[in-house]
Amino acid sequence: MSHSEHLASVMVEQLIKAVDNGIDVVPVLADSTSTAKIGPFIARFPDRIVNVGIAEQAMVGTAVGLSIGGKVAVTCNAAPFLISRANEQVKIDVCYNNCNVKLFGLNAGASYGPLASTHHSIDDIAVLRGFGNIQIFAPSSPEECRQIIDYALSYVGPVYIRLDGKALPALHDADYRFVPGQIDVLRHGGDVALVAMGSTVHEAVDAAQQLDEQGISAAVINLSSIRPCDTHQLLALLRESKQVITLEEHNINGGIGSLVAEVLAEAGCAIALVRLGIGDGEYAIAADRASMRAHHGFDAAGVVRTALRVCRGV
């Protein structure tokens, strides 16, 4: 198995590299030094850190002020508190004013596991898809994360990057190049397309390998670029399969399951779709990640069961 890395550590590595390369980056924290694993950045650039304390609204407002002053402002804190507590500031101050702020949603999804709903971020994509001009990314591997961050720091405008709290192994070859909006196909297959984002892409890869052993050809589509998204390319890829299953550590409403449903419906495409994630009217259970995913049916075993049902009626 390849070496795994925490995406927060990758974030810090890329922020240090950016400053070394002359980008005027200023991270803003909400007393989130541990969550952000920001220690190496502070050691190198102690005068570039702004810590506002446990005050997420002030964090986002400060980042906006820094961006207006010409800095590349980045916020680094836990996704559930960023999206829930600073919702209005993200919507109006960052997005409506089109400020050059990069929002890192750390420990997204149900990364905090047993800490339950107060610490789960299973609605962040749904919320931010409602803000029309913010770009939204959910990297699935360390290398993809590096390239997404490099792009985000060079792009002028609002960006949200959803970072899982789990250490993730590599998924891509050395020649992989992230292109905003482009759909990342990890595996082609004609029976069922598995569409996932973030760490659930690894569940999809494992499921596809198990399905292959049972004679079912499964495509794996990594939907890391949620906005922008080349929906024409996505539709063409979905049409290569007879069935589509989406999986995400997010509520099935408003996330990539909804995005795929919209693409299929607007094209009048009759391919059957099953959305796996946190169900309608549900919250993620308080449990370790493996147990939570198994309970809600979007671990690799759950994906295999669903694929067997939709492909063979088993």
Side-chain angles (χ1 to χ4, degrees), residues 168-245:
L168 298 177
L171 272 177
H172 300 89
D173 296 331
D175 59 354
Y176 168 75
R177 294 296 177 268
F178 170 78
V179 177
Q182 184 170 295
I183 310 302
D184 179 30
V185 183
L186 296 175
R187 182 180 180 131
H188 288 276
D191 292 323
V192 61
L194 308 178
V195 184
M197 70 170 179
S199 62
T200 58
V201 175
H202 297 264
E203 305 282 3
V205 169
D206 290 346
Q209 293 171 346
Q210 294 177 43
L211 288 167
D212 185 62
E213 294 169 1
Q214 300 191 53
I216 293 176
S217 173
V220 178
I221 296 172
N222 167 30
L223 202 56
S224 57
S225 186
I226 298 164
R227 180 189 289 136
C229 178
D230 186 340
T231 55
H232 296 290
Q233 182 193 11
L234 177 58
L235 179 62
L237 290 165
L238 296 175
R239 280 177 163 158
E240 293 178 1
S241 297
K242 301 180 182 71
Q243 312 278 347
V244 177
I245 299 171

Side-chain angles (χ1 to χ4, degrees), residues 6 9 35 39 46 84-85 92 106 182 190 194-195 199 204 248 260 270 272 275 281 289 295 306:
H6 283 278
S9 296
T35 298
S84 296
R85 295 178 181 169
I92 302 300
L106 303 169
Q182 184 170 295
L194 308 178
V195 184
S199 62
E248 55 194 318
V260 169
R275 295 176 296 158
R289 299 290 286 290
H295 174 84
T306 301

Side-chain angles (χ1 to χ4, degrees), residues 12-13 36 69 74 114 120 128 162 182 227 233 243 251 304:
V12 173
E13 170 193 314
V74 302
H120 293 169
L128 293 175
R162 185 186 217 247
Q182 184 170 295
R227 180 189 289 136
Q233 182 193 11
Q243 312 278 347
N251 193 280
V304 169

